[in-house]
């Protein structure tokens, strides 16, 4: 397995280097596009949340925010009080915030590793702002599909959560080292800012690399535009959604199904970002990947049934 992974990484690295050398104009343009996406979208939206969420964890402030969520989510999903914060953030803030918080809370000892793996199966999703603004309004130009889309994209992970819960109920855990009032200082703010900056820089690098990979796939001749759109979307969802929306050969139903597919899976770019966020936490990336594939299959099947009834 390790040899296969090493060979895969080696092959992808060679492909990227070859693309940079053979077609530097396209490669640099793709890199610029990824950088602009990171700078104009992720930095202003995710960086403040990364810093503030890390600060909330450090000062034991999560319990106050989840006071009203906990009774409901614990009864339905069996999660702890800290797990409620991970769920709410993962559904509202987009990839890879759910994975980042599951990893942070597990490393801090505020949730068990078992609960962290459980949360990771369903709490890492596309943000509502991205879904409503970029996907439905800008790309598909079908804002009328808002309600069924929200139900499909955010309701299906709850079904997956019930499948993975298996009757378990997770209790609240106290961190090994609680932060006292005397310890709260600007040093904690500095640490939270550095953690947020490190995370956002990682995300930027992944977005640039996968933007180049997506552009490489687009440049490879393919007799069917559907195949190109599908491969690019599974590589990086933003580029895939743009390709699907611009493809006049696809029907609106097909475009809608493909966009839902990309949103639910998050692309290999989102998977790589999530894996980087859970390093050294002990959480299983492969369980996460299997859960995302299951979620994607369920979303597509339910969406196809919905379109068939129209």
């Amino acid at each position: 397995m390790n040899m296969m992974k090493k060979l895969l990484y080696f092959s992808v690295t060679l492909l990227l280097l070859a693309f940079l050398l053979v077609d530097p104009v396209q490669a640099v343009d793709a890199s610029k596009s990824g950088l602009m996406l990171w700078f104009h979208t992720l930095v202003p939206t995710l960086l403040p949340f990364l810093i503030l969420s890390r600060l909330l964890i450090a000062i034991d402030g999560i319990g106050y925010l989840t006071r009203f969520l906990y009774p409901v989510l614990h009864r339905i999903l069996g999660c702890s009080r800290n797990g409620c914060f991970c769920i709410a953030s993962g559904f509202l803030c987009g990839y890879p915030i759910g994975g980042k918080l599951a990893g942070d809370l597990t490393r801090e000892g505020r949730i068990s590793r078992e609960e962290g793996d459980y949360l990771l199966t369903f709490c890492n999703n596309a943000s509502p702002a991205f879904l409503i603004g970029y996907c439905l309004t800008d790309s598909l130009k079908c804002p009328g599909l808002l309600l069924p889309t929200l139900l499909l994209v955010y309701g299906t992970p709850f079904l997956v959560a019930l499948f993975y819960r298996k009757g378990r109920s997770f209790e609240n855990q106290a961190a090994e080292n609680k932060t006292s009032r005397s310890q709260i200082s600007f040093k904690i703010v500095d640490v939270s800012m550095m953690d947020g900056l490190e995370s956002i820089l990682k995300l930027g690098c992944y977005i640039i690399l996968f933007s180049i990979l997506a552009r490489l796939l687009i440049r490879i001749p393919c007799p069917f535009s559907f195949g190109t759109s599908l491969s690019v979307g599974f590589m990086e969802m933003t580029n895939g959604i743009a390709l699907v929306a611009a493809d006049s050969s696809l029907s609106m139903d097909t475009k809608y199904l493909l966009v839902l597919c990309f949103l639910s899976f998050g692309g290999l770019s989102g998977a790589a970002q999530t894996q980087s966020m859970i390093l050294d936490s002990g959480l299983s990336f492969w369980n996460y990947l299997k859960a995302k594939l299951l979620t994607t299959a369920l979303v597509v099947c339910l969406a196809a049934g919905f379109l068939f009834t129209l």
Side-chain angles (χ1 to χ4, degrees):
M1 180 63 75
N2 287 334
M3 189 63 188
M4 289 292 293
K5 285 173 65 177
K6 186 176 180 180
L7 182 61
L8 177 63
Y9 290 147
F10 178 72
S11 302
V12 171
T13 303
L14 276 185
L15 273 174
L16 287 173
L17 285 172
F19 186 41
L20 284 166
L21 293 173
V22 173
D23 197 349
V25 174
Q26 287 293 326
V28 170
D29 185 63
S31 180
K32 286 180 181 178
S33 298
L35 183 61
M36 289 300 102
L37 174 66
W38 173 77
F39 183 75
H40 289 293
T41 304
L42 265 68
V43 172
T45 56
L46 289 189
L47 181 57
F49 183 85
L50 289 169
I51 295 171
L52 294 173
S53 62
R54 191 68 187 83
L55 187 58
L56 279 172
I57 293 172
I59 64 175
D60 304 312
I62 293 176
Y64 299 104
L65 293 180
T66 58
R67 181 175 300 174
F68 300 106
L69 283 176
Y70 175 69
V72 177
L73 291 181
H74 180 72
R75 183 180 295 273
I76 299 172
L77 300 174
C79 55
S80 66
R81 196 178 296 276
N82 288 328
C84 291
F85 180 67
C86 183
I87 293 170
S89 302
F91 274 85
L92 292 174
C93 300
Y95 297 110
I97 293 298
K100 160 86 172 150
L101 289 177
D104 286 347
L105 292 169
T106 303
R107 279 187 288 263
E108 292 274 332
R110 297 173 190 273
I111 60 174
S112 65
R113 177 178 170 181
E114 186 182 14
E115 184 179 5
D117 274 324
Y118 166 63
L119 292 172
L120 201 58
T121 60
F122 69 95
C123 73
N124 203 37
N125 302 287
S127 71
F130 179 79
L131 185 154
I132 297 168
Y134 181 75
C135 299
L136 291 182
T137 305
D138 296 339
S139 300
L140 292 179
K141 298 185 177 8
C142 292
L145 291 172
L146 175 60
L147 182 58
T149 304
L150 290 176
L151 289 173
L152 287 165
V153 173
Y154 300 117
T156 306
F158 278 105
L159 296 177
V160 172
L162 295 174
F163 171 76
Y164 277 97
R165 182 186 175 185
K166 299 174 182 175
R168 294 174 296 179
S169 186
F170 300 98
E171 300 302 321
N172 299 315
Q173 291 193 197
E176 293 181 4
N177 297 308
K178 280 224 168 193
T179 306
S180 67
R181 289 181 181 272
S182 61
Q183 290 175 309
I184 297 175
S185 66
F186 278 105
K187 184 177 180 181
I188 294 178
V189 179
D190 289 343
V191 171
S192 300
M193 287 193 292
M194 291 306 298
D195 182 77
L197 285 170
E198 180 184 354
S199 298
I200 205 72
L201 283 173
K202 279 185 182 180
L203 297 186
C205 292
Y206 277 110
I207 287 172
I208 289 171
L209 288 175
F210 277 90
S211 293
I212 298 173
L213 275 171
R215 184 66 62 87
L216 175 60
L217 288 174
I218 293 172
R219 300 290 292 174
I220 295 174
C222 180
F224 305 105
S225 59
F226 176 83
T228 300
S229 300
L230 191 63
S231 60
V232 171
F234 270 102
M235 183 67 64
E236 203 282 313
M237 66 175 180
T238 307
N239 285 291
I241 291 169
L243 275 182
V244 165
D247 192 342
S248 58
S249 67
L250 300 176
S251 67
M252 181 52 68
D253 286 356
T254 303
K255 290 182 180 182
Y256 184 61
L257 287 174
L258 285 174
V259 168
L260 288 180
C261 178
F262 301 155
L263 277 172
S264 302
F265 181 59
L268 292 177
S269 175
Q273 292 168 35
T274 301
Q275 185 181 34
S276 74
M277 296 293 109
I278 64 173
L279 288 176
D280 303 322
S281 67
L283 301 183
S284 173
F285 171 70
W286 295 111
N287 283 344
Y288 164 75
L289 201 58
K290 286 187 288 186
K292 292 306 287 184
L293 290 171
L294 173 61
T295 303
T296 303
L298 284 174
V299 167
V300 171
C301 290
L302 290 172
F306 164 71
L307 292 173
F308 180 75
T309 60
L310 292 179

